[in-house]
């Protein structure tokens, strides 16, 4: 009996010590859980918003850990068996069980966008799985973890590497479909030699009313909204659909798109509203409101931060996936400012940002052409955009100053061995100089050539050459150009060739077009032949797309082409080229003639239909 009492007493002491130790450890454990964002949210407000998620965090109790282990193992088995949808459902459940653990969201999104998408074979399946990864991070992962740098980095990396680069043979599907999605919301941005016009245009969206009550505070806008309501149209995405169909705004109508005729009396009334001069101001206010609302609610984008990015880095065309890589990378750094950032995460996020900014130098000027077979996937081409060279050069210099700063805070020389970015910086500016020179921007090319020599102090005999000889020698040394460089050089050459042709200089036209042909042939022979996913369209198709855009929307490629010059250019083209482009250019040019108070006879004389 005494022995049993003694055992009970010892056990009570052990239990007391264990409880005391547990109480002492509960504080540090809870602090550690908060730091790792493993806290279960149980507030009534959160339960009201996400009752299923909160229930899944609480209900398993002590079985939560083994349940998670089982779900991970089972989801992997399903994935290996090819049951991708079943595996996705289990992964979604895992995310709901651990909503404040960013690594779960990042892995699930990465697996869908990179691994599962690669296991499928049709463009629709690839696009679905890549966008599933985007939506998981953007709409759900960042909802629970809005300040997590890693999730922002992962999202930016999908836009930059998976969609913006060329490792996936269906990369053009992603670029085209994303461009089509955003074009339906924002249309094409205005062009100017600086960022001013694009920033001013987008500021109307950023500064638009946040709610309907604020929008209808203006009486004329309220009257317009009331008319829309009577026709069954809400001032959001529904308004955008009809605006894109019936307005006379050329920025929302890609070349080749034929305006649809209203179907019935109701659509005729809608079309009148979309074109009426009386409601022009109110319509513009509703357009800005609808665009802002769609960006926020459908794409989870912050228009204020989008505008800030444009002011700092350049006139982003949001149809370009690289613009979104920059948005999410910089937003992550902005939201995480002041937190205990991991150095690797911050560097990787910065690498995505700088890579995307460099890509905009080569792809920043987008132009879309309507695809009648699949309107959701418009034809897409691009050319180099010199407006991003200065911001990229500036960001390189800022990063390099950090690298050459010692522990005492003394800033070293940019051209020192400690500057590990210097080689990449020189290569980037050398490519930009070639693009600008070929594209007719010789003054800018000369300025950055001087920066290479005087600021970065590049070594080598090639940097002692004149600008003209430098460009020729660099093209010889570099060998086969990359796909982006190929497109940039060709677009620049087309730009110079057809400007010369419009001015009557046939010799310069032939010289620049021959250069474009040489670049294309070199690329196809040395690079695209071995990797089909890197092959661009046929040369004639790229040239045709450029001509169609130059005649219908020249501002998209950085040109200002008056109607008379367009007519002169068109009439210098061969009958074969006229036949190829006429179905696309006839409608927009006829409308431009009307807008400039010219009759149909003027159009027929200026742009005669080619012989069949």
């Amino acid at each position: 009996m005494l022995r049993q009492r003694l055992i009970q007493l010892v056990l009570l002491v052990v239990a007391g010590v264990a409880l005391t130790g547990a109480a002492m450890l509960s504080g540090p454990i809870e602090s550690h859980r908060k730091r790792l964002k493993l806290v279960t949210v149980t507030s009534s407000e959160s339960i009201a918003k996400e009752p299923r998620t909160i229930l899944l965090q609480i209900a398993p109790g002590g079985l939560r850990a083994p349940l998670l282990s089982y779900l991970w193992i089972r989801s992997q088995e399903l994935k290996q068996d090819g049951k991708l949808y079943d595996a996705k459902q289990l992964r979604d459940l895992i995310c709901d069980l651990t909503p404040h653990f960013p690594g779960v969201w990042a892995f699930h999104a990465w697996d869908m966008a990179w691994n599962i998408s690669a296991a499928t074979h049709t463009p629709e399946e690839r696009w679905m799985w890549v966008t599933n990864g985007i939506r998981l991070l953007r709409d759900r992962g960042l909802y629970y973890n809005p300040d997590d740098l890693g999730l922002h980095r992962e999202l930016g990396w999908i836009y930059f590497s998976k969609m913006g680069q060329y490792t996936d043979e269906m990369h053009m599907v992603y670029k085209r479909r994303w461009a089509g999605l955003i074009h339906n919301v924002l249309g094409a941005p205005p062009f100017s030699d600086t960022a001013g016009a694009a920033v001013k245009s987008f500021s109307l969206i950023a500064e638009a009313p946040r709610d309907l009550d604020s929008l209808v505070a203006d009486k004329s806008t309220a009257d317009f909204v009331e008319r829309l309501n009577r026709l069954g149209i809400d001032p959001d995405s529904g308004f955008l659909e009809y605006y894109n169909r019936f307005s006379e705004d050329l920025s929302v109508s890609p070349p080749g798109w034929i305006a649809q005729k209203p179907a019935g009396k109701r659509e005729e009334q809608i079309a009148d509203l979309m074109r009426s001069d009386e409601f022009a101001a109110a319509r513009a206010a509703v357009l800005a409101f609808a665009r802002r609302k769609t960006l926020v609610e459908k794409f989870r984008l912050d228009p204020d931060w989008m505008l800030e990015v444009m002011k700092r880095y350049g006139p982003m065309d949001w149809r370009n996936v690289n613009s979104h890589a920059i948005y999410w990378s910089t937003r992550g750094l902005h939201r995480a400012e002041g937190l205990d950032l991991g150095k690797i995460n911050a560097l990787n996020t910065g690498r995505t940002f700088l890579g995307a900014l460099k890509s905009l130098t080569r792809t920043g000027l987008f132009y879309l052409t309507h695809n009648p077979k699949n309107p959701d996937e418009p034809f897409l081409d691009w050319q180099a955009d010199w407006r991003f060279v200065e911001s990229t050069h500036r960001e390189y210099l800022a990063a390099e100053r950090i690298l050459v700063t010692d522990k005492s805070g003394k800033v070293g020389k940019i051209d020192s061995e400690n500057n590990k970015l210097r080689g990449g910086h020189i290569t980037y500016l050398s490519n930009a100089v070639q693009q600008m020179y070929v594209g007719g921007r010789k003054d800018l090319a000369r300025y950055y050539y001087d920066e290479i020599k005087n600021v970065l102090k590049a070594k080598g005999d090639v940097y002692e050459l004149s600008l003209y000889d430098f460009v020729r020698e660099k093209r010889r040394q570099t060998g086969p150009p990359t796909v982006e460089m190929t497109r940039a050089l060709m677009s620049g050459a087309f730009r110079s060739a057809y400007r010369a042709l419009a001015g009557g200089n046939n010799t310069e036209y032939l010289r620049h077009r021959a250069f474009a042909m040489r670049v294309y042939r070199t690329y196809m022979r040395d690079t695209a032949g071995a990797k089909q996913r890197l092959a661009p369209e046929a040369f004639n198709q790229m040239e045709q797309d450029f001509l169609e855009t130059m005649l219908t929307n020249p501002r998209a490629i950085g040109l200002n082409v008056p109607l008379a010059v367009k007519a002169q250019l068109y009439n210098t083209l061969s009958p074969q080229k006229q036949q190829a482009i006429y179905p696309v250019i006839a409608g927009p040019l006829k409308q431009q003639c009307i807008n400039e108070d010219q009759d149909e006879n003027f159009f027929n004389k200026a742009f005669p239909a080619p012989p069949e």
Side-chain angles (χ1 to χ4, degrees):
M1 189 64 149
L2 181 62
R3 183 172 177 273
Q4 290 178 346
R5 291 286 186 187
L6 186 60
I7 292 173
Q8 290 175 350
L9 182 60
V10 171
L11 291 176
L12 282 172
V13 171
V14 170
V17 172
L19 288 172
T20 302
M24 293 175 64
L25 290 172
S26 64
I29 290 174
E30 188 64 21
S31 175
H32 199 56
R33 277 164 51 83
K34 288 180 179 178
R35 186 173 66 82
L36 294 176
K37 300 181 181 179
L38 297 174
V39 181
T40 301
V41 179
T42 58
S43 71
S44 57
E45 181 182 357
S46 297
I47 291 175
K49 287 183 178 179
E50 300 285 340
R52 176 178 178 274
T53 301
I54 302 305
L55 182 63
L56 285 172
Q57 292 179 74
I58 297 172
L63 297 176
R64 193 161 173 240
L67 175 62
L68 284 169
S69 297
Y70 167 76
L71 291 175
W72 273 116
I73 294 170
R74 182 59 183 153
S75 70
Q76 285 295 102
E77 291 174 346
L78 289 170
K79 177 186 163 186
Q80 291 171 1
D81 292 341
K83 299 177 180 178
L84 304 180
Y85 292 96
D86 294 335
K88 178 182 180 300
Q89 288 182 331
L90 290 187
R91 296 275 180 82
D92 289 342
L93 182 57
I94 293 170
C95 290
D96 287 336
L97 283 164
T98 55
H100 298 286
F101 188 39
V104 173
W105 299 100
F107 176 82
H108 187 15
W110 169 80
D111 201 34
M112 285 194 293
W114 294 90
N115 295 336
I116 295 179
S117 71
T120 61
H121 306 289
T122 67
E124 290 74 19
E125 287 178 307
R126 289 281 182 94
W127 171 248
M128 180 191 71
W129 284 110
V130 171
T131 52
N132 277 348
I134 288 174
R135 284 194 294 269
L136 185 77
L137 288 173
R138 184 191 69 196
D139 300 352
R140 303 196 63 217
L142 286 172
Y143 172 79
Y144 291 107
N145 309 277
D147 298 327
D148 187 78
L149 181 62
L151 293 184
H152 284 91
R153 182 200 69 228
E154 198 68 46
L155 187 52
W157 186 249
I158 292 176
Y159 280 110
F160 170 62
S161 185
K162 181 66 175 180
M163 299 172 72
Q165 298 302 299
Y166 308 92
T167 54
D168 192 316
E169 66 268 22
M170 294 189 189
H171 66 93
M172 285 303 297
V173 172
Y174 313 144
K175 291 178 174 71
R176 288 170 177 161
R177 294 206 174 196
W178 186 259
L181 274 177
I182 301 300
H183 185 88
N184 289 336
V185 180
L186 298 177
F191 181 85
S192 67
D193 279 350
T194 63
V199 170
K200 182 179 179 181
S201 175
F202 193 84
S203 65
L204 298 176
I205 299 171
E207 296 165 5
R210 269 55 168 177
D211 54 68
L212 186 59
D213 290 340
S214 301
L215 176 67
V216 298
D218 177 78
K219 186 179 184 307
S220 63
T221 306
D223 291 342
F224 183 71
V225 170
E226 176 60 27
R227 288 172 181 263
L228 291 174
N229 289 337
R230 287 203 297 266
L231 292 168
I233 302 173
D234 293 325
D236 49 23
S237 57
F239 171 83
L240 285 178
E241 177 189 348
Y242 287 110
Y243 181 85
N244 292 343
R245 283 179 60 191
F246 297 132
S247 77
E248 295 175 345
D249 183 353
L250 294 179
S251 71
V252 301
S253 306
W257 184 79
I258 299 175
Q260 302 175 11
K261 293 182 179 180
K265 185 176 180 180
R266 174 177 172 270
E267 287 202 349
E268 288 176 358
Q269 292 175 323
I270 294 172
D272 289 341
L273 275 181
M274 297 303 164
R275 298 168 184 167
S276 170
D277 292 338
E278 178 186 355
F279 295 106
R283 187 169 57 244
V286 174
L287 177 63
F289 172 81
R291 284 174 167 171
R292 179 185 175 88
K293 193 170 189 288
T294 305
L295 289 174
V296 172
E297 295 181 359
K298 182 176 180 179
F299 295 97
R300 301 295 192 269
L301 293 166
D302 177 3
D304 295 324
W305 187 249
M306 294 169 76
L307 182 61
E308 187 65 30
V309 167
M310 293 175 73
K311 288 178 178 178
R312 180 173 178 83
Y313 302 114
M316 304 284 173
D317 186 335
W318 296 102
R319 300 173 301 174
N320 191 322
V321 292
N322 287 299
S323 298
H324 293 268
I326 291 171
Y327 171 89
W328 290 107
S329 297
T330 57
R331 185 178 183 271
L333 292 167
H334 173 70
R335 291 297 299 264
E337 187 177 358
L339 300 181
D340 182 18
L341 304 180
K343 182 177 288 187
I344 293 177
N345 276 355
L347 287 174
N348 282 342
T349 305
R351 183 180 65 174
T352 300
F353 154 71
L354 192 56
L357 198 55
K358 289 162 62 178
S359 288
L360 283 180
T361 306
R362 301 184 288 267
T363 69
L365 281 177
F366 255 40
Y367 44 104
L368 307 184
T369 307
H370 179 65
N371 180 358
K373 294 183 179 179
N374 187 357
D376 293 331
E377 193 176 313
F379 299 123
L380 169 66
D381 212 334
W382 58 78
Q383 72 173 28
D385 194 340
W386 59 88
R387 296 174 297 176
F388 289 97
V389 176
E390 180 56 31
S391 58
T392 309
H393 179 45
R394 184 181 67 236
E395 293 302 317
Y396 252 123
L397 291 174
E400 288 166 337
R401 289 189 186 100
I402 295 173
L403 287 176
V404 298
T405 300
D406 61 23
K407 294 181 180 179
S408 66
K410 183 180 178 181
V411 180
K413 294 182 178 181
I414 293 295
D415 60 326
S416 72
E417 293 298 322
N418 292 331
N419 182 4
K420 304 301 182 184
L421 293 175
R422 178 169 165 266
H425 193 176
I426 292 172
T427 300
Y428 164 74
L429 284 184
S430 296
N431 289 336
V433 165
Q434 296 172 62
Q435 294 166 21
M436 288 185 286
Y437 186 88
V438 172
R441 296 279 170 168
K442 294 181 181 179
D443 289 342
L444 275 176
R446 187 169 291 106
Y447 171 80
Y448 288 106
Y449 184 40
D450 290 341
E451 289 288 286
I452 295 173
K453 295 189 292 184
N454 301 329
V455 176
L456 296 172
K457 301 188 186 308
K459 304 292 192 300
D461 294 340
V462 68
Y463 299 104
E464 303 297 327
L465 299 173
S466 68
L467 176 61
Y468 173 76
D469 291 332
F470 170 79
V471 172
R472 285 176 58 89
E473 181 62 17
K474 270 295 179 181
R475 288 277 15 100
R476 188 190 67 79
Q477 288 182 1
T478 305
T482 63
V483 61
E484 282 187 345
M485 192 66 173
T486 297
R487 285 181 175 271
L489 290 173
M490 287 182 65
S491 296
F494 285 147
R495 189 173 184 272
S496 297
Y498 283 101
R499 286 179 71 186
L501 187 62
N505 191 336
N506 195 58
T507 301
E508 282 295 292
Y509 159 73
L510 292 173
R511 184 169 72 85
H512 286 291
R513 189 178 184 276
F515 175 81
M517 179 64 81
R518 283 200 305 274
V519 171
Y520 183 83
R521 285 175 174 169
T522 300
Y523 179 76
M524 293 298 291
R525 182 190 68 224
D526 297 336
T527 303
K531 298 179 180 179
Q532 188 59 36
R533 71 174 185 275
L534 300 179
E537 296 87 350
F539 180 87
N540 289 340
Q541 184 63 53
M542 295 179 72
E543 185 176 28
Q544 179 181 324
D545 291 344
F546 183 89
L547 267 173
E548 290 169 353
T549 304
M550 185 172 180
L551 290 170
T552 59
N553 187 21
R555 302 297 283 173
I557 52 176
L559 294 173
N560 181 22
V561 186
L563 190 61
V565 177
K566 291 181 181 180
Q568 183 177 340
L569 173 60
Y570 173 79
N571 286 287
T572 62
L573 300 176
S574 67
Q576 292 78 15
K577 282 195 172 98
Q578 289 181 348
Q579 288 170 356
I581 69 174
Y582 190 81
V584 170
I585 68 172
L589 288 176
K590 186 178 293 186
Q591 184 61 50
Q592 184 179 353
C593 290
I594 294 172
N595 294 343
E596 297 188 14
D597 297 325
Q598 303 290 346
D599 58 21
E600 189 166 338
N601 288 332
F602 176 87
F603 168 78
N604 291 332
K605 290 178 182 178
F607 303 97
E612 293 184 4

